[in-house]
Amino acid sequence: MFPIDSGTLPELPAPFWFVEFFKVLGFCLHILAMNLWFAGLPMAIIAFLLSTSNSRRFAVRMFSQLPVIMALGINFGIVPLLFIQVAYYKPFYTSTIFMAWHWFLVIPLLAVAYYGLYLCAYSLKPGGKSGYLLPFGLISMFCLLAIAYIQVNAMSLMGRPDIWNVLWNKNSIGAATLGTGINSSDPTLWLRYGSMFGLALVTSAVWMIFDANWLIRKTNDENQKKLDNSYRLWTKRFASFFAILGGLVLVFSFCQYLQILKTLPMTQDWLPSTPGQVFSLGTLILPLLTAVLILFSGKSCQSALLLFLIQFIGIAFFAIFRQFVQNLEVSQVMQIAQHPVKVQWDTLIPFLVIFVIGVLIIVWMLRQLATAPPVEEK
Ligand code: HEM
């Protein structure tokens, strides 16, 4: 018996397809930005430690961009969080209450990571203390790796109502839960973590190539041209290594994750179905294709854009696959798609208008970034 009332399904304020579409779209955008601090930050720290002119150039560019990327990624994460609360709130609140203190920890960890990244960016400004970069970069990195662990715990626990009673009995006094539970015994936990980290390595490698080809302004200065070309060659080599490494980590983790899903009653019948095959294979093949293509291209704006598009489609396949699995897991306690619907136009229309304005502002910001005068790289 699961400790929640799965009998009543209150009305959804928007059609189910709308909730799913924006939840997955928001999560894709969250993954795109989150991947750059999940794996891009460790790559920037390694580049900083390599201490060559090109590796330092990449580290400076990445550390200068990360505060903006983090702001975007956090806001993109709010979109799926909103829709989780609208439609998946029963399993979501139940699981996050069992691990409340860990879930609460996300806030201080994120504050430290965010300020740490700002201190890193400022340490690169003229007059800044470059000695700050490594200690604060490392502190931010460990905070973000820890938040990812908490996120994977919460999202995996949401789909494991069979574990809730165990956590409740282990972490409660009387009937009151202490909120000290964590889903560490779940065999899928580190495989989900590894799949996302592998994907993040490939996404960060693509970002390096995209940044080097699209965001470094063309110049007529012959000297600067030589430096920029040597930098693009270096980014291609560095990115190739991490893209292939990412592809291998993704394949290793995701294939094992699929093996476990094949043994679970909620997912074993869906996996061999067409959507199961298409989205699981797409999750594996597209990032791998991106990694291989980086080896053979990535020296022009066109190829950088193509890599970006293929990787984004790979991220979308992963997010859709994950959404199918989440719905199947949650169906143990509630049939999400069978919610009665009573559209609340008074909230839906402002949401849509603000969402479109938000996207337009981000496009304008990225255009400003792309057309801004070149930064002085220390
Ligand atoms: C306030 C900031 C953040 C918000 C609002 C947020 C929001 C979300 C949401 C709503 C999901 C689940 C999406 C879904 O099921 O559709 C998610 C998943 C995830 N987030 Fe974030 N996130 C935030 C910060 C972070 C940070 C700092 C990291 C660190 C790397 C991170 C890593 C992840 C990972 C790895 C997942 C996938 C978990 C899984 O399914 O196994 N997030 N995030």
Side-chain angles (χ1 to χ4, degrees):
M1 202 280 297
F2 302 128
I4 64 171
D5 159 23
S6 53
T8 55
L9 286 177
E11 287 146 347
L12 272 186
F16 178 64
W17 67 262
F18 183 97
V19 171
E20 294 293 278
F21 174 75
F22 277 99
K23 182 173 180 298
V24 172
L25 175 65
F27 190 44
C28 289
L29 296 173
H30 177 58
I31 293 176
L32 193 61
M34 174 261 285
N35 279 184
L36 299 184
W37 67 67
F38 194 19
L41 175 55
M43 285 163 67
I45 290 175
I46 292 169
F48 184 80
L49 292 170
L50 286 175
S51 215
T52 67
S53 61
N54 284 325
S55 69
R56 281 284 168 111
R57 186 172 180 183
F58 165 63
V60 167
R61 294 188 65 78
M62 198 67 188
F63 275 110
S64 315
Q65 295 162 350
L66 273 170
V68 178
I69 293 170
M70 184 141 235
L72 290 174
I74 288 172
N75 283 291
F76 289 146
I78 303 288
V79 179
L81 192 61
L82 183 82
F83 288 105
I84 283 180
Q85 291 169 5
V86 164
Y88 299 75
Y89 60 98
K90 287 193 179 181
F92 175 66
Y93 285 132
T94 308
S95 46
T96 47
I97 286 168
F98 284 136
M99 52 176 285
W101 290 108
H102 298 99
W103 189 238
F104 177 74
L105 208 54
V106 168
I107 300 167
L109 284 172
L110 193 61
V112 171
Y114 209 172
Y115 284 110
L117 289 179
Y118 267 103
L119 280 170
C120 293
Y122 277 112
S123 74
L124 298 166
K125 297 263 177 247
K129 297 192 175 55
S130 57
Y132 279 5
L133 191 131
L134 201 55
F136 286 109
L138 285 169
I139 292 169
S140 296
M141 182 185 83
F142 287 116
C143 288
L144 295 169
L145 293 176
I147 295 175
Y149 176 72
I150 297 170
Q151 287 276 10
V152 175
N153 261 284
M155 295 305 144
S156 55
L157 186 57
M158 213 174 116
R160 296 296 307 271
D162 55 310
I163 291 180
W164 296 348
N165 269 340
V166 181
L167 280 184
W168 188 2
N169 293 334
K170 264 204 216 146
N171 301 276
S172 62
I173 296 179
T177 178
L178 296 169
T180 48
I182 193 87
N183 190 27
S184 48
S185 63
D186 187 329
T188 69
L189 194 83
W190 286 108
L191 300 176
R192 291 170 75 126
Y193 196 99
S195 303
M196 186 63 87
F197 192 73
L199 197 69
L201 284 168
V202 182
T203 309
S204 304
V206 169
W207 177 254
M208 277 183 79
I209 304 271
F210 186 87
D211 173 63
N213 287 285
W214 280 89
L215 301 184
I216 290 185
R217 304 290 304 287
K218 303 288 179 276
T219 173
N220 298 327
D221 173 340
E222 283 312 318
N223 246 348
Q224 189 56 44
K225 246 192 210 161
K226 275 203 200 94
L227 288 175
D228 292 349
N229 287 340
S230 125
Y231 176 69
R232 287 191 189 98
L233 266 180
W234 178 87
T235 51
K236 185 180 144 36
R237 279 199 303 274
F238 192 79
S240 304
F241 172 78
F242 283 99
I244 295 294
L245 178 68
L248 294 174
V249 172
L250 173 68
V251 170
F252 176 78
S253 317
F254 195 67
C255 287
Q256 289 193 63
Y257 179 51
L258 290 176
Q259 288 311 316
I260 294 178
L261 291 182
K262 278 186 188 143
T263 64
L264 301 176
M266 314 79 78
T267 45
Q268 61 192 180
D269 299 336
W270 176 76
L271 277 172
S273 71
T274 309
Q277 296 285 309
V278 168
F279 292 112
S280 54
L281 283 176
T283 301
L284 286 169
I285 292 170
L286 289 164
L288 270 183
L289 174 65
T290 311
V292 172
L293 281 178
I294 288 180
L295 282 177
F296 301 104
S297 68
K299 281 189 284 182
S300 68
C301 285
Q302 294 72 14
S303 64
L305 192 59
L306 179 69
L307 291 168
F308 192 88
L309 289 176
I310 298 175
Q311 182 61 7
F312 189 69
I313 298 169
I315 287 172
F317 269 64
F318 174 70
I320 296 168
F321 173 88
R322 193 180 155 285
Q323 193 52 63
F324 271 110
V325 170
Q326 193 175 65
N327 290 352
L328 289 164
E329 289 172 338
V330 163
S331 69
Q332 297 170 86
V333 285
M334 58 194 303
Q335 302 303 328
I336 299 272
Q338 279 147 28
H339 263 91
V341 175
K342 187 161 176 274
V343 179
Q344 293 174 9
W345 293 108
D346 51 350
T347 47
L348 208 59
I349 293 171
F351 165 78
L352 281 172
V353 171
I354 294 165
F355 189 85
V356 170
I357 293 172
V359 170
L360 290 176
I361 290 172
I362 291 166
V363 170
W364 174 81
M365 280 167 67
L366 291 175
R367 244 183 75 69
Q368 300 314 308
L369 258 183
T371 55
V375 286
E376 193 238 311
E377 295 171 32
K378 280 172 83 174

